[in-house]
Amino acid sequence: MTLNATTSHTVGPYYHIGLTWLNREDLTTAATLGERVAISGQVLDGNGEVVNDAMLEVWQANAAGKYAHPEDEQDKALDPNFDGFGRVPVDAEGRFRFTTIKPGSVPGLKGTTQAPHLVVLVFARGLVKHLLTRIYFDGEALNGDDPLLACVPAERRGTLIATPGEHGVYQWNVILQGTDKETVFFDY
């Protein structure tokens, strides 16, 4: 008997099975503490074509800067009305929009402080594994001191910064590859 190698599996097109029950475009409830923000954008491939089957998974701290996770042992208030997690699918045009709260700052390595940010995983067909990136907020005082943002070349940092747009909705796009506008993705 001869065994043949099989092709690599990707996270799509069937990744939706078993994941969609966690989809929600509003990560807040009426009782969630903090400043509500909406973030919208589009997922595009390296040719500028829409990726219409992507999904974003968002993880973040609450308004006080504490994660709803047992390993976060900070002496900060835990908001029982906010778990800091959501999955957001894109529409047929690759667009997404979700509502959350602006997170507080969290500790970084070696006594540093991280600017308010959202951790985002990007899933889509053709990806061997999901991609990891972050969303920072334009104008945040701590952006200049954020240790991870400082590791990104200055000319690429804009791909991680959500900017206020119409009606106060932050704009942030995911560009998967190929241009100088490609979103910065992190190894982990």
Side-chain angles (χ1 to χ4, degrees):
M1 173 180 204
T2 303
L3 299 176
N4 295 319
T6 60
T7 58
S8 298
H9 294 280
T10 67
V11 296
Y14 304 109
Y15 69 89
H16 287 283
I17 298 169
L19 296 180
T20 56
W21 68 276
L22 289 170
N23 287 359
R24 57 186 182 156
E25 294 172 0
D26 190 344
L27 283 60
T28 68
T29 69
T32 301
L33 302 173
E35 175 190 351
R36 280 171 178 63
V37 293
I39 299 172
S40 70
Q42 194 172 33
V43 180
L44 302 169
D45 69 15
N47 295 321
E49 301 292 326
V50 297
V51 178
N52 62 6
D53 68 345
M55 180 179 62
L56 307 180
E57 186 172 281
V58 180
W59 294 86
Q60 70 173 92
N62 67 19
K66 184 170 178 78
Y67 289 96
H69 191 280
E71 291 184 20
D72 187 341
E73 298 176 349
Q74 298 179 81
D75 188 22
K76 293 180 180 177
L78 187 61
D79 183 349
N81 300 300
F82 185 72
D83 62 13
F85 173 80
R87 286 191 176 139
V88 183
V90 300
D91 67 13
E93 298 300 317
R95 295 178 304 234
F96 62 87
R97 180 181 169 129
F98 63 95
T99 302
T100 188
I101 52 101
K102 189 177 281 188
S105 60
V106 297
L109 295 175
K110 300 179 182 176
T112 60
T113 301
Q114 297 180 59
H117 65 275
L118 311 178
V119 175
V120 179
L121 300 178
V122 180
F123 296 84
R125 72 181 131 74
L127 297 177
V128 176
K129 66 178 188 173
H130 56 268
L131 302 172
L132 173 67
T133 190
R134 284 187 172 191
I135 301 173
Y136 290 89
F137 296 90
D138 187 41
E140 281 293 326
L142 292 174
N143 283 353
D145 297 325
D146 185 274
L148 189 60
L149 199 53
C151 291
V152 176
E155 66 275 7
R156 304 275 327 276
R157 289 181 195 147
T159 69
L160 301 174
I161 308 288
T163 56
E166 287 187 40
H167 310 293
V169 175
Y170 281 89
Q171 300 297 308
W172 180 76
N173 293 319
V174 177
I175 302 185
L176 295 177
Q177 66 179 11
T179 71
D180 59 347
K181 303 282 189 219
E182 177 182 330
T183 301
V184 171
F185 299 104
F186 300 100
D187 288 331
Y188 56 95

